[in-house]
Amino acid sequence: MTKTSKFNFARRCDWDLQTNEITRLKEQLIRQGTDIIDLTVSNPTQCGLIFDQDISLAELSDDRNRLYSAESQGMAEARAAVSQMYAKQGVNVAPERIFLTASTSEAYTYLFRLLANPDDTVLFPAPSYPLFNFLGTLNDVRINFYQLMYDQRWQIDFADLVEQLQPDARAIVLVNPNNPTGSYVSNEEIGHLNRICADRQMAIISDEVFFDFNHQRQSFTSLAGNEPALTFVMGGLSKTLGFPQMKLSWIILSGPDDLVAQARSKLEIIADTFLSVNTPVQNALPQWLAQKAHRQQPIQQRIKANLECLKQSIDGLRAAQLLDVQGGWYAIVRIDQTRTEEEWVLKLLGKYHVFVHPGFFYDFAEGSHLVLSLLPPTERFRDGVERMLSRLEQPYHG
């Protein structure tokens, strides 16, 4: 028997580290050598979307990488490249209002430290990505959730949001488009959020890592440059260019000038304490962002093909409904509630060797849902979807 020594670790790390039944079954099948069609994988570098080496890595061979200059907001040339990228999208973002970080997780850390005292509250949407609970715990802030409701499309439940606005609420987080619902924030919703935050001296944090991946003909609004309330917009290479390994993200400040000035001066000290963004990636950033359309094209094509496959496969079925998805890398399938989400996922994994996420991983408030990534290779995706839907359409016998 393995001895377990006693030690007083920090309470913020007091997580339940036991694996759930779904994870245990998947690990067992992998050990047995089972070929699992993983419809949850969303890492471009593991989905056959690795770019040509000469295009992707040549920019890292730069003699300037031998030198180091500590710049709290990030190198001026790199920030100018981010500014120019937004200018091409019709958004005026001054380089002085841009901070570079190593990841959006680090960006959240900077903003939580800037905006919230220990045990203050930050509001996140639900359904939402599970990582946010860990980010809140690690930064000593309380995470509360406001609901997104579905009626032909996803939208913010403002009645629920207002109920969550306790005196210690410091910021409202938007994920635009949301992960996993794929819903953008509408102009009407932005106006309402601006009024709430301006009146209550709260900030808006808009996580826009998936913003470029719009599946519909209509255009949507970025909060970069949002003026009525203090606003922080985040983006990064992980999704914008499909480069999760390159570790560079950004924060864009906007809002009333006096609040932006105060926030910027405080963020400079926070960023200067870490100085985490590496020099080679910053030097390469202008060339990479100039090729954004080229780099996004294979990802867009993969998402389009898989989404169309899913739509055609589900059309007319009784047991499954594809919910409206406006953007991002995920799709949600609503299923019959004859069994729990966990039972469906375990059956699909154990017997059909198809892995999907249950909706409760993302805190869906009601109904039964399965969450699928749209990035797997299309043939594998089609095979997995066919297996999944064939099981969902059968009478459930356990």
Side-chain angles (χ1 to χ4, degrees):
M1 179 181 293
T2 303
K3 179 182 178 181
T4 303
S5 301
K6 291 184 177 180
F7 191 85
N8 292 322
F9 291 100
R11 287 190 298 274
R12 71 175 64 87
C13 299
D14 189 20
W15 302 302
D16 181 3
L17 300 178
Q18 295 185 8
T19 55
N20 57 53
E21 187 174 356
I22 294 172
T23 301
R24 289 197 296 271
L25 176 57
K26 184 184 179 188
E27 292 175 348
Q28 176 187 333
L29 292 171
I30 291 173
R31 287 195 299 269
Q32 294 171 351
T34 305
D35 179 23
I36 298 172
I37 298 180
D38 190 345
L39 297 184
T40 72
V41 62
S42 59
N43 179 341
T45 69
Q46 296 177 0
C47 294
L49 290 165
I50 299 175
F51 297 102
D52 179 82
Q53 183 173 350
D54 290 338
I55 297 173
S56 302
L57 302 181
E59 293 87 351
L60 294 174
S61 301
D62 190 323
D63 286 342
R64 294 177 300 169
N65 295 335
R66 302 175 186 275
L67 304 175
Y68 173 68
S69 176
E71 300 183 49
S72 59
Q73 287 190 230
M75 295 169 59
E77 185 178 0
R79 287 185 288 112
V82 175
S83 174
Q84 291 164 13
M85 180 189 71
Y86 277 90
K88 292 178 181 177
Q89 299 168 193
V91 181
N92 182 23
V93 174
E96 298 77 35
R97 292 191 172 195
I98 297 172
F99 281 77
L100 302 183
T101 66
S103 66
T104 50
S105 295
E106 184 176 66
Y108 275 115
T109 294
Y110 285 14
L111 296 179
F112 289 164
R113 294 300 185 184
L114 171 71
L115 299 170
N117 293 313
D119 294 325
D120 281 347
T121 298
V122 177
L123 300 179
F124 278 81
S128 199
Y129 193 64
L131 174 68
F132 296 141
N133 283 308
F134 290 96
L135 286 173
T137 301
L138 287 171
N139 287 284
D140 302 322
V141 299
R142 183 180 294 107
I143 301 297
N144 279 353
F145 293 92
Y146 63 91
Q147 293 298 316
L148 303 181
M149 54 186 181
Y150 188 81
D151 182 11
Q152 307 303 315
R153 66 178 182 85
W154 292 97
Q155 53 194 307
I156 296 172
D157 184 343
F158 277 98
D160 183 68
L161 187 150
V162 170
E163 284 187 12
Q164 309 303 324
L165 292 176
Q166 303 302 318
D168 66 354
R170 296 291 176 257
I172 297 174
V173 174
L174 313 174
V175 185
N176 185 34
N178 186 53
N179 176 12
T181 67
S183 50
Y184 287 89
V185 184
S186 70
N187 289 334
E188 181 181 359
E189 289 172 327
I190 292 172
H192 198 169
L193 290 163
N194 275 327
R195 289 188 291 273
I196 289 173
C197 290
D199 289 346
R200 295 174 178 263
Q201 297 183 355
M202 296 172 61
I204 296 174
I205 301 173
S206 187
D207 183 336
E208 300 189 356
V209 295
F210 291 107
F211 190 83
D212 289 338
F213 298 93
N214 177 0
H215 310 329
Q216 302 190 351
R217 295 181 183 276
Q218 69 184 106
S219 61
F220 296 99
T221 302
S222 167
L223 275 85
N226 183 57
E227 296 298 337
L230 182 61
T231 303
F232 305 89
V233 167
M234 295 185 294
L237 297 186
S238 178
K239 307 301 186 297
T240 298
L241 299 184
F243 278 179
Q245 72 275 40
M246 294 307 177
K247 310 308 296 180
L248 186 143
S249 296
W250 51 84
I251 304 170
I252 296 172
L253 283 65
S254 62
D257 288 342
D258 60 330
L259 295 182
V260 169
Q262 294 176 59
R264 181 186 173 193
S265 64
K266 297 175 187 299
L267 270 177
E268 281 185 305
I269 296 175
I270 295 172
D272 192 55
T273 303
F274 290 92
L275 291 174
S276 60
V277 188
N278 72 74
T279 296
V281 169
Q282 292 188 74
N283 280 328
L285 188 63
Q287 296 178 68
W288 284 348
L289 290 182
Q291 301 173 36
K292 184 179 77 167
H294 170 75
R295 298 184 185 282
Q296 287 184 352
Q297 184 179 20
I299 300 175
Q300 297 275 25
Q301 290 174 339
R302 176 72 57 78
I303 291 171
K304 181 179 179 181
N306 286 348
L307 186 57
E308 185 61 29
C309 167
L310 188 57
K311 288 178 179 177
Q312 292 180 2
S313 299
I314 286 182
D315 186 39
L317 295 187
R318 173 196 56 81
Q321 175 193 4
L322 176 62
L323 301 191
D324 180 60
V325 53
Q326 297 175 325
W329 291 3
Y330 296 87
I332 299 168
V333 178
R334 179 178 286 167
I335 59 175
D336 284 349
Q337 294 181 267
T338 50
R339 290 295 186 270
T340 67
E341 292 172 336
E342 183 176 42
E343 288 172 327
W344 281 121
V345 171
L346 288 170
K347 178 62 69 173
L348 290 169
L349 180 57
K351 186 174 182 180
Y352 293 82
H353 303 155
V354 176
F355 182 46
V356 295
H357 277 156
F360 68 79
F361 276 14
Y362 300 86
D363 293 320
F364 280 79
E366 57 184 23
S368 291
H369 304 86
L370 302 178
V371 180
L372 287 65
S373 166
L374 294 170
L375 287 196
T378 299
E379 290 302 318
R380 294 279 285 178
F381 184 85
R382 180 179 292 108
D383 190 5
V385 167
E386 289 176 355
R387 295 188 198 182
M388 177 187 75
L389 295 178
S390 68
R391 182 63 191 91
L392 293 175
E393 282 291 287
Q394 296 175 21
Y396 196 103
H397 299 299

